[in-house]
Amino acid sequence: MDHLIIDALRDVLTGQCTPAIVRAIENEVAAHNGCAPETDLTKISATAATLWQQIEDTGFADLLLPEDEGGAGLALRDAFAVWDLLGQHAMPLPLAETMLARGWLVAAGVAVPQGAIALAPHLLVEGGGVGASGVRGARVAQWVLGQHGGELVLLPVAGAQASPSIFVLDADLHWKAAALASATRVAAPASLLVAQAGLVSALLAGSLLTTFESTLNFANERQQFGRPIGKFQAIQHELAVMAEHVSAARMAAQIACEAGGVLADPLKVAVGKARTGEAAVEVASLAHSIHGAIGFTTEFDLQLFTRRLHLWRQTAGSESYWQLQAGQALVAAGGMSLDVIRQITDSAAAV
């Protein structure tokens, strides 16, 4: 991975994706919720539009495109470091999804549309049109790349009927038959669900790291009975458990993204998404235990990350779903668990 890319992205995120900016985007989108979807992001959130323009101007959304298409020619194993960094900064826009969608579309010979692209792995035919529930980042995206059967379908967000989802930046979307008929369609090179689960594993890895580091700093700064609470054995134990989960989850997420192209290995993704989902529950719980009541307040930054841990844990399948997929792969291998473990951990990436 080119460290110049990571350093440049870190500079942009440090200046343009602060907790205050993340809050501003969420608040602006919340005020717009219930209105018809817009193609013009400035009408939804001026703060989000500014952040997205920074991303477009610096070319980060095109990193998975070949160099002759204006990209950096990165593979998934390289993209892990990018997506991990997005998770560390609670990126409120679907940049990771846009990177992946653009890479797939260009590989299929489709012109890349301007704007952010959300993913909908399960498009459901309903009432003559199609719908998708809980589309991550739909409120701050201009397009949705969905999968129906063996096809990828590129649909405009502005052409959909939207209703609020659990998270303020997400939405349930429905397109009428006319929008579906005029949509761009290409053959799906692989499962979009697997692809999204892989990138969300990397986002979780980043958010887990920030949650742990901020909790560790808080424990070293918060004084009780004349000394930092991090000096108490009970708190040290909780921090040790957090560190174990974060370390294991980050390794698993890196394995999930271990691919030389833009198509992920389903078995590696199953392990990565399952392990990061497990860690999300434990780390969020322990972080709030150590912080006490202050961690739940909207003014405190911790909740920006723990809310995302719970959201991303459910995105593209929870840990129980992916544990089932891994278990079925083990059964299909004839019970030779060591061979399956070797297949999963055969990684060229530096962990």
Side-chain angles (χ1 to χ4, degrees):
M1 177 63 192
D2 191 338
H3 292 289
L4 292 176
I5 294 176
I6 292 300
D7 290 343
L9 178 59
R10 183 179 289 108
D11 289 342
V12 170
L13 296 177
T14 300
Q16 302 297 326
C17 191
T18 63
I21 288 174
V22 174
R23 283 189 180 86
I25 291 173
E26 291 185 0
N27 291 336
E28 290 168 6
V29 171
H32 191 272
N33 247 335
C35 303
E38 289 276 1
T39 301
D40 186 357
L41 192 56
T42 59
K43 295 182 179 179
I44 304 170
S45 169
T47 310
T50 299
L51 177 58
W52 183 256
Q53 194 57 54
Q54 284 273 353
I55 291 167
E56 286 281 28
D57 291 344
T58 47
F60 293 120
D62 296 328
L63 290 177
L64 290 184
L65 272 58
E67 293 183 8
D68 57 4
E69 294 286 349
L74 298 188
L76 291 187
R77 65 166 60 101
D78 305 311
F80 169 79
V82 175
W83 296 340
D84 173 47
L85 195 55
L86 298 182
Q88 292 179 39
H89 288 265
M91 166 58 68
L93 307 179
L95 174 55
E97 287 87 345
T98 302
M99 289 173 58
L100 184 72
R102 289 185 178 184
W104 279 26
L105 290 172
V106 167
V110 176
V112 171
Q114 289 297 307
I117 306 174
L119 301 181
H122 296 298
L123 288 178
L124 302 175
V125 176
E126 49 186 26
V130 293
S133 60
V135 180
R136 197 185 92 78
R139 285 290 181 181
V140 284
Q142 287 76 47
W143 300 89
V144 171
L145 182 66
Q147 184 166 5
H148 181 250
E151 282 190 323
L152 295 178
V153 185
L154 184 63
L155 294 157
V157 172
Q161 294 176 331
S163 56
S165 189
I166 295 174
F167 190 55
V168 65
L169 302 180
D170 302 346
D172 299 337
L173 302 174
H174 179 268
W175 291 268
K176 295 182 178 179
L180 180 61
S182 61
T184 299
R185 298 169 182 250
V186 295
S191 166
L192 192 58
L193 179 67
V194 170
Q196 187 179 33
L199 71 86
V200 171
S201 297
L203 294 174
L204 278 165
S207 190
L208 285 165
L209 181 62
T210 297
T211 301
F212 171 66
E213 289 180 341
S214 62
T215 303
L216 179 61
N217 290 336
F218 178 83
N220 287 329
E221 294 170 359
R222 178 75 167 88
Q223 297 280 328
Q224 188 68 31
F225 304 113
R227 57 177 176 161
I229 63 173
K231 297 295 185 181
F232 292 96
Q233 187 175 11
I235 300 298
Q236 290 176 347
H237 173 74
E238 291 187 331
L239 288 170
V241 173
M242 288 180 71
E244 291 173 358
H245 278 293
V246 172
S247 179
R250 289 179 60 78
M251 291 180 186
Q254 192 164 357
I255 289 173
C257 296
E258 175 57 25
V262 294
L263 302 180
D265 182 306
L267 181 57
K268 292 182 177 182
V269 168
V271 172
K273 187 62 167 63
R275 188 63 186 90
T276 52
E278 290 174 354
V281 177
E282 297 298 330
V283 170
S285 176
L286 290 169
H288 281 289
S289 173
I290 293 171
H291 277 85
I294 192 174
F296 290 93
T297 61
T298 57
E299 295 83 0
F300 203 74
D301 292 345
L302 179 65
Q303 52 82 25
L304 293 176
F305 295 92
T306 55
R307 282 191 293 117
R308 282 167 170 78
L309 288 179
H310 286 294
L311 170 71
W312 293 341
R313 171 200 165 212
Q314 297 290 340
T315 301
S318 67
E319 61 270 22
S320 60
Y321 173 82
W322 290 107
Q323 286 163 352
L324 176 61
Q325 305 310 305
Q328 290 175 340
L330 176 60
V331 172
M336 299 298 290
S337 57
L338 184 58
D339 290 341
V340 175
I341 292 172
R342 284 172 176 161
Q343 179 184 346
I344 294 167
T345 57
D346 180 16
S347 173
V351 178

